[in-house]
Amino acid sequence: MATMQTVQVELGTRSYPIYVSPGLFAEDGNAKELLRPYAAGRKVLIVADSNVAPLYAAAVERAVREVSGEETALCVFPAGEQSKNFETVAMICRTCAQNQLDRGSLIAGLGGGVTGDMAAFAASIYMRGIDCIQVPTSLLAMVDSGAGGKTGVDLPEGKNLIGSFYQPKAVLMDTEFLKTLPRRELINGFAELIKHAILFDRGLFDKLLNAGDDILTHPPMDEMTELIALSCGLKAGVVSRDEQEKGERMLLNLGHTFGHAIEKVQDFCGFEHGEAVGTGLAASARLARELGLLAQDEEEKIEEIVRKYELPMAIEDCKPEELLHAMYSDKKNRNGTIRLILPHAIGHCEVHHDVPDETILKIWESFLP
Ligand code: GLY
């Protein structure tokens, strides 16, 4: 079995560990030992969606129950982004109340980004805030949303418009859980992993580029554990330095201004989030090259990695003007200008506000079939 990797998110008294290992929640896994500081003697509510609950809730319940000494409560909601709303958060809070969770209790989010964001949001408001831990089951949640403390729900007017910064007490990642993840979901997660590599770490980029062909079919557990821990270490550093996205954390939006525009123009029913980010990474690189910020061979490597991980390099049925318009409505913009994160080299990116519309349109055109 691969050695467990531990990454610490340093936030003073709110610091917390991220544990990454295959088999954490196996019968002989380390989960019980790792859960003890957070679950011993406490009531615990596990939150999961209707896809993940039948797969992993029993294993997580078993580990939690042994440590807490109490029956655990389980709250299951219908899988999908359409559940990411106030009604589901109210249901989670009501399940807490019905099971007599009190201020000393714990909520555990077991699942992907939607589950983690809502479980932590409910924890941040139930009885004015109780502890939560995250047990991410998708690659995207392991490398991105599962750690960092962004919580929230969607409104009909837009995604993630309501939320809070609320850090978990610990994050437990069992990489064996990735074995049941559909290939498309795995690809989604790789987009965010590649993003971290382009932002901060050429060594990680090269590891991803040189990974064997089985990385998308039978991802080797040792390799995945190493890649996830490296990616979490990069994100943990950013969150430690800029928890509330006042500066450096904005860089984590690399590929997202392009990606959100694709999602919006396709009304969130064409590309998956990670796929849109993947195309956004390639578009950011093309734009940076067009502006003379990024060397041609660096841009070609970024396109190569996007293709290797089967992320889309063409956008169907979208007009460049519509995509540009959608970029102007991105909620991360300030003062009516489009905020873009652009690579200057693999491992180094900067924020730009002043890219001419004509240049952005030219890049969109280059992605049309
Ligand atoms: N997903 C970007 C962030 O956590 O800031």
Side-chain angles (χ1 to χ4, degrees):
M1 187 182 284
T3 330
M4 185 173 73
Q5 307 265 340
T6 306
V7 173
Q8 185 77 357
V9 182
E10 296 290 353
L11 285 167
T13 53
R14 294 175 300 114
S15 298
Y16 58 93
I18 301 172
Y19 301 110
V20 194
S21 174
L24 271 188
F25 284 93
E27 288 215 31
D28 59 350
N30 290 343
K32 290 187 280 289
E33 196 185 307
L34 301 175
L35 284 167
R36 202 168 297 286
Y38 318 103
R42 304 168 89 177
K43 268 196 192 293
V44 181
L45 173 77
I46 298 169
V47 179
D49 74 19
S50 52
N51 287 338
V52 169
L55 293 170
Y56 301 121
V60 176
E61 270 184 310
R62 184 185 56 223
V64 170
R65 196 168 46 237
E66 267 189 47
V67 174
S68 85
E70 304 225 20
E71 277 304 304
T72 56
L74 177 65
C75 178
V76 181
F77 65 90
E81 185 80 27
Q82 71 282 358
S83 288
K84 196 175 175 188
N85 54 39
F86 275 123
E87 286 72 32
T88 311
V89 170
M91 181 178 87
I92 297 169
C93 292
R94 290 187 63 191
T95 312
C96 289
Q98 286 154 9
N99 288 278
Q100 288 88 43
L101 268 76
D102 61 24
R103 285 199 169 151
S105 302
L106 179 76
I107 291 181
L110 168 67
V114 169
T115 303
D117 282 13
M118 283 196 296
F121 185 49
S124 78
I125 55 176
Y126 180 69
M127 291 198 172
R128 301 200 174 84
I130 67 171
D131 287 350
C132 76
I133 59 165
Q134 295 284 7
V135 184
T137 58
S138 71
L139 182 59
L140 195 140
M142 288 184 189
V143 298
D144 191 17
S145 60
K150 283 189 179 176
T151 85
V153 293
D154 301 337
L155 289 179
E157 288 76 9
K159 284 174 76 171
N160 295 320
L161 289 184
I162 300 291
S164 54
F165 285 101
Y166 196 69
Q167 300 293 341
K169 293 292 171 198
V171 186
L172 277 70
M173 304 185 183
D174 185 338
T175 45
E176 289 282 337
F177 288 175
L178 297 174
K179 288 187 173 166
T180 54
L181 196 66
R183 184 184 174 101
R184 196 167 175 197
E185 288 301 324
L186 196 64
I187 290 171
N188 268 324
F190 272 113
E192 299 285 355
L193 226 165
I194 295 165
K195 177 192 82 175
H196 288 153
I198 297 172
L199 280 169
F200 306 116
D201 191 341
R202 178 178 284 276
L204 175 59
F205 185 94
D206 289 340
K207 275 190 209 298
L208 287 163
L209 194 58
N210 298 326
D213 290 339
D214 55 354
I215 197 83
L216 290 179
T217 48
H218 299 94
M221 286 297 111
D222 284 7
E223 198 173 351
M224 289 307 288
T225 301
E226 186 197 0
L227 293 171
I228 292 166
L230 285 169
S231 179
C232 286
L234 297 169
K235 178 158 179 182
V238 176
V239 172
S240 301
R241 293 186 292 273
D242 179 24
E243 182 186 9
Q244 301 214 350
E245 202 171 323
K246 307 256 191 278
E248 185 185 355
R249 191 166 178 171
M250 287 179 205
L251 292 173
L252 299 183
N253 289 305
L254 174 65
H256 282 64
T257 313
F258 283 101
H260 288 154
I262 299 170
E263 290 182 283
K264 191 159 185 191
V265 169
Q266 298 197 337
D267 203 17
F268 298 100
C269 57
F271 283 33
E272 297 269 337
H273 175 69
E275 291 169 340
V277 169
T279 310
L281 295 174
S284 309
R286 265 190 208 173
L287 178 57
R289 176 181 159 191
E290 180 71 25
L291 294 167
L293 302 169
L294 181 69
Q296 180 174 339
D297 58 335
E298 295 278 89
E299 191 250 327
E300 284 168 0
K301 273 192 162 187
I302 293 175
E303 291 207 13
E304 186 184 342
I305 205 167
V306 168
R307 286 203 172 85
K308 177 184 171 93
Y309 286 88
E310 298 180 7
L311 291 156
M313 284 294 294
I315 314 161
E316 312 264 344
D317 302 326
C318 289
K319 293 195 178 66
E321 296 74 20
E322 279 178 338
L323 290 158
L324 179 68
H325 186 255
M327 289 171 103
Y328 271 101
S329 65
D330 194 283
K331 69 176 185 291
K332 301 283 167 82
N333 289 333
R334 292 286 181 279
N335 306 324
T337 60
I338 296 176
R339 188 173 74 194
L340 284 162
I341 316 303
L342 298 177
H344 290 218
I346 293 167
H348 175 71
C349 297
E350 293 188 13
V351 183
H352 291 259
H353 290 276
D354 51 359
V355 182
D357 286 359
E358 312 80 72
T359 320
I360 298 176
L361 281 171
K362 185 171 168 190
I363 299 304
W364 279 128
E365 270 154 23
S366 74
F367 281 89
L368 300 183

